[in-house]
Amino acid sequence: NADEGDSGTYADRMIMEGDPFVLIEGMTIAGIAVGADKGFVYIRSEYPHAIDVLSRAITVARRANCLGKGILGSRYDFDLEIRVGAGAYVCGEETALLDSLEGKRGVVRAKPPLPAHKGLFGLPTVVNNVISLATVPVILAEGAAAYRDLGLGRSRGTMPIQLAGNVRHPGLFEAAFGLTLGEIVDDIGAGTASGRPVRAVQVGGPLGAYFPRALFDTPFDYEAFAARNGLIGHGGVVVFDDTVDMARQARFAMEFCAIESCGKCTPCRIGSTRGVEVIDRIIRGEKRAENHTLLTDLCETMRLGSLCALGGFVPYPVTSSLTYFPEDFGLTAPLASAAD
Ligand SMILES: Cc1cc2nc3c(=O)[nH]c(=O)nc-3n(C[C@H](O)[C@H](O)[C@H](O)COP(=O)(O)O)c2cc1C
Ligand code: SF4
């Protein structure tokens, strides 16, 4: 899965452009492990350089018999094919990706059956991210214990943290799980590029929560972020300074969901459009308290009732904005009562 649709993320692209052979090797090992003789790399069309580099690397690997029939004289066959996506965010979701690979419009499939039981063209299929697969050769070379020794709690190993947005030192920094968000933003990123104070940080792509400075002690690990109603996702960290309007950011999240929704389930398809309208009413100052209640209720419905994480996670950026930055919605107590 090289669709890499999350805002502020580019780790897959950097691996494919910088070391395509580690992905080829990881996919070959995965293929041998599950008994597959064919692998697909689904790459977003916005990555022409990665597509070019990976295509040439596949040709080189075939020539060296690292791909193809009887790999390196063994009894294993495995080959790779690149497929280029057409720009839909939802096609990064594993079952919509399979539909897209089959030549259909990318629509999320109901689970079960899981792709591991019934996936591409009805066959058992393993879907993994580029980073997951590219890490396999490293783990086999260094040993599982060496990898497991890195990290914190249940989040073991390393994470390619991608710093983006209004940050002084943007870039990809691979680190063991466990750094705090503050260390990532202030020490590695050195604060904002604008020189103004950091106000909010969105972690985990367009469906990730916004964290205020008060939560900068959160360790960068899956469980710690989940405990604070956030997510790490693909490791994207997007920084905003104190000029950001968090009501606009919340609206953007809902609008993004409305545009990218595959339309299969009602909470996401209709809820996201209604969500934009409700946020607009709050921004305009219409019955703020009532619309706040309505928005909170809508977010809960989307969180619990959506078929996939597009509709299910979009409440994270919306409710975190409401919770930590209510003043941007005109929802601080005096403002709300004045407006209502
Ligand atoms: C709306 C949506 C978009 C997604 N986009 C991506 C993506 O671009 N790349 C990706 O690897 N996983 C994406 N995922 C997650 C995949 O469904 C799947 O969990 C992932 O590829 C599994 O890989 P991993 O377990 O190796 O991380 C997305 C999920 C959803 C719900
Ligand atoms: S949550 Fe949205 S993207 Fe996911 S299946 Fe439902 S309509 Fe499609």
Side-chain angles (χ1 to χ4, degrees):
N1 190 344
D3 200 43
E4 196 159 59
D6 282 359
S7 40
T9 64
Y10 39 88
D12 297 350
R13 178 176 64 75
M14 288 186 75
I15 280 280
M16 291 185 290
E17 290 177 358
D19 188 1
F21 294 110
V22 78
L23 174 62
I24 294 172
E25 189 180 350
M27 290 188 72
T28 307
I29 294 167
I32 291 171
V34 301
D37 57 14
K38 182 77 189 268
F40 291 88
V41 186
Y42 187 89
I43 309 189
R44 58 186 293 132
S45 58
E46 294 88 340
Y47 284 176
H49 190 51
I51 294 166
D52 179 46
V53 173
L54 190 62
S55 304
R56 284 189 282 133
I58 288 172
T59 306
V60 170
R62 272 192 201 125
R63 264 196 224 121
N65 190 220
C66 293
L67 286 175
K69 296 271 176 212
I71 297 167
L72 296 176
S74 71
R75 61 192 166 89
Y76 298 112
D77 303 336
F78 189 73
D79 211 343
L80 283 177
E81 185 178 329
I82 292 177
R83 291 287 184 88
V84 180
Y89 178 75
V90 79
C91 284
E93 193 281 338
E94 57 187 3
T95 60
L97 184 154
L98 296 175
D99 267 15
S100 177
L101 275 180
E102 290 179 4
K104 302 173 191 153
R105 181 166 73 93
V107 175
V108 173
R109 299 179 184 174
K111 296 176 212 166
L114 292 170
H117 295 140
K118 195 167 177 240
L120 189 63
F121 297 112
L123 298 171
T125 307
V126 59
V127 185
N128 275 113
N129 173 254
V130 168
I131 297 297
S132 304
L133 290 160
T135 307
V136 171
V138 181
I139 296 174
L140 292 196
E142 309 278 330
Y147 193 75
R148 197 185 48 218
D149 283 350
L150 301 166
L152 186 76
R154 292 184 60 224
S155 299
R156 312 310 309 182
T158 63
M159 185 76 191
I161 298 165
Q162 299 131 84
L163 269 168
N166 189 344
V167 64
R168 194 144 160 239
H169 296 154
L172 186 149
F173 304 88
E174 185 177 6
F177 288 99
L179 287 175
T180 66
L181 185 57
E183 285 169 328
I184 292 167
V185 173
D186 293 331
D187 299 347
I188 299 178
T192 62
S194 62
R196 300 182 66 93
V198 175
R199 181 151 187 249
V201 179
Q202 188 177 32
V203 182
L207 310 174
Y210 286 98
F211 276 53
R213 185 166 276 284
L215 298 183
F216 273 19
D217 61 341
T218 313
F220 207 78
D221 83 64
Y222 292 106
E223 291 73 31
F225 266 71
R228 290 185 162 176
N229 291 324
L231 56 113
I232 284 184
H234 195 46
V237 175
V238 181
V239 181
F240 296 83
D241 74 11
D242 62 350
T243 61
V244 67
D245 179 341
M246 296 307 295
R248 292 272 152 210
Q249 294 303 118
R251 185 191 191 281
F252 172 75
M254 275 292 185
E255 189 185 29
F256 177 80
C257 183
I259 292 168
E260 297 294 340
S261 170
C262 82
K264 178 137 177 170
C265 68
T266 314
C268 169
R269 184 184 67 247
I270 297 181
S272 52
T273 298
R274 293 290 94 87
V276 173
E277 294 165 2
V278 177
I279 294 173
D280 276 343
R281 289 203 290 274
I282 296 174
I283 290 173
R284 286 199 301 268
E286 289 172 27
K287 296 188 176 158
R288 280 199 170 125
E290 282 169 37
N291 280 307
H292 180 203
T293 308
L294 189 60
L295 183 59
T296 309
D297 188 50
L298 175 65
C299 282
E300 199 58 4
T301 304
M302 291 178 75
R303 189 175 71 80
L304 297 172
S306 297
L307 185 59
C308 86
L310 180 45
F313 284 6
V314 78
Y316 283 123
V318 176
T319 49
S320 57
S321 298
L322 278 167
T323 305
Y324 302 120
F325 309 97
E327 63 276 20
D328 287 18
F329 297 80
L331 281 169
T332 45
L335 265 180
S337 51
D340 291 340

